[in-house]
Amino acid sequence: HLGVKNLADPDFIYIYPIDFEKKELIASMIDDYNASATKDDQIQYADIAAMLMSSVSSIITAVSVVLICFVSISLLVSSIMIGIITYISVLERTKEIGILRAIGASKRDVGRVFNAETIIVGFVAGMIGILGTLFFNVIINVILFHFTQIANLKAALPVGGAIILVLISMLLTFIAGLFPSGIAAKRNPVEALRSE
């Protein structure tokens, strides 16, 4: 009859492992059997879970690339803004620069003052970002658990990652402030003292 298959000679069998460890065990058993079997007797199998995980991994990678692009643009814009703010600070504190130079501060000392300020700004900004991430992680984890009921599925920020992010923030602000601090260091002390 059409559609009826001999049960002793099935075309395919569905196997439902209870967890990923058992799935890997079954796959390795089939691979071991295929290694010693003839070409006609080998078992062809499709790992649906692996295909799904591969698809999900590809989607996550694509989303990560898009997010990295947005973050890169944000970092570039924020670095430019930090440079502009530092430059405005240099313009507004011309007399202060003149006083520093008049009491014996070298050009390098004046530049260090502004570099230190930008590094402090970078540190504070990085810490605000880390604290914000930790705060939102709590909310995200509550939402994830509510919808999935999986206790191990949690958003987390590793300590090493947090330290690296703060250091990157400090480095970017330092680089952004190099040009304005250079301008401050090159100011003529006499002209700086005369400015109002």
Side-chain angles (χ1 to χ4, degrees):
H1 299 284
L2 186 65
V4 175
K5 179 67 181 169
N6 181 6
L7 294 177
D9 184 24
D11 280 338
F12 56 87
I13 298 172
Y14 288 109
I15 300 173
Y16 299 98
I18 58 172
D19 56 31
F20 281 101
E21 187 177 312
K22 296 294 188 290
K23 178 186 80 67
E24 294 298 329
L25 177 63
I26 291 167
S28 66
M29 289 171 64
I30 293 172
D31 290 338
D32 291 342
Y33 169 79
N34 285 343
S36 59
T38 63
K39 190 172 182 179
D40 292 335
D41 291 335
Q42 286 184 352
I43 300 171
Q44 304 297 322
Y45 68 93
D47 192 342
I48 305 294
M51 288 190 289
L52 285 173
M53 291 302 290
S54 177
S55 299
V56 169
S57 178
S58 299
I59 292 168
I60 290 172
T61 302
V63 170
S64 298
V65 168
V66 171
L67 289 175
I68 287 169
C69 290
F70 279 118
V71 168
S72 300
I73 292 167
S74 300
L75 287 174
L76 179 65
V77 171
S78 62
S79 296
I80 292 168
M81 290 305 298
I82 288 167
I84 291 169
I85 290 167
T86 308
Y87 180 68
I88 291 170
S89 175
V90 168
L91 293 178
E92 289 178 346
R93 294 161 65 186
T94 304
K95 197 157 193 169
E96 181 183 325
I97 294 167
I99 292 168
L100 285 172
R101 293 296 307 281
I103 61 173
S106 66
K107 290 181 179 181
R108 184 175 291 181
D109 292 332
V110 173
R112 283 176 181 163
V113 168
F114 287 95
N115 285 335
E117 286 180 6
T118 55
I119 289 172
I120 291 168
V121 167
F123 176 75
V124 172
M127 289 306 297
I128 290 170
I130 296 302
L131 293 174
T133 301
L134 294 175
F135 172 75
F136 284 111
N137 274 355
V138 174
I139 297 169
I140 290 167
N141 288 335
V142 169
I143 293 169
L144 282 173
F145 182 75
H146 175 74
F147 285 108
T148 64
Q149 299 299 314
I150 301 172
N152 293 331
L153 185 62
K154 290 182 178 180
L157 178 63
V159 176
I163 292 169
I164 290 169
L165 289 172
V166 171
L167 291 175
I168 289 171
S169 174
M170 292 169 69
L171 177 65
L172 286 173
T173 53
F174 172 72
I175 292 169
L178 281 176
F179 179 70
S181 66
I183 292 173
K186 291 174 184 174
R187 279 290 170 105
N188 186 314
V190 176
E191 291 179 5
L193 283 169
R194 286 177 181 168
S195 67
E196 291 297 331

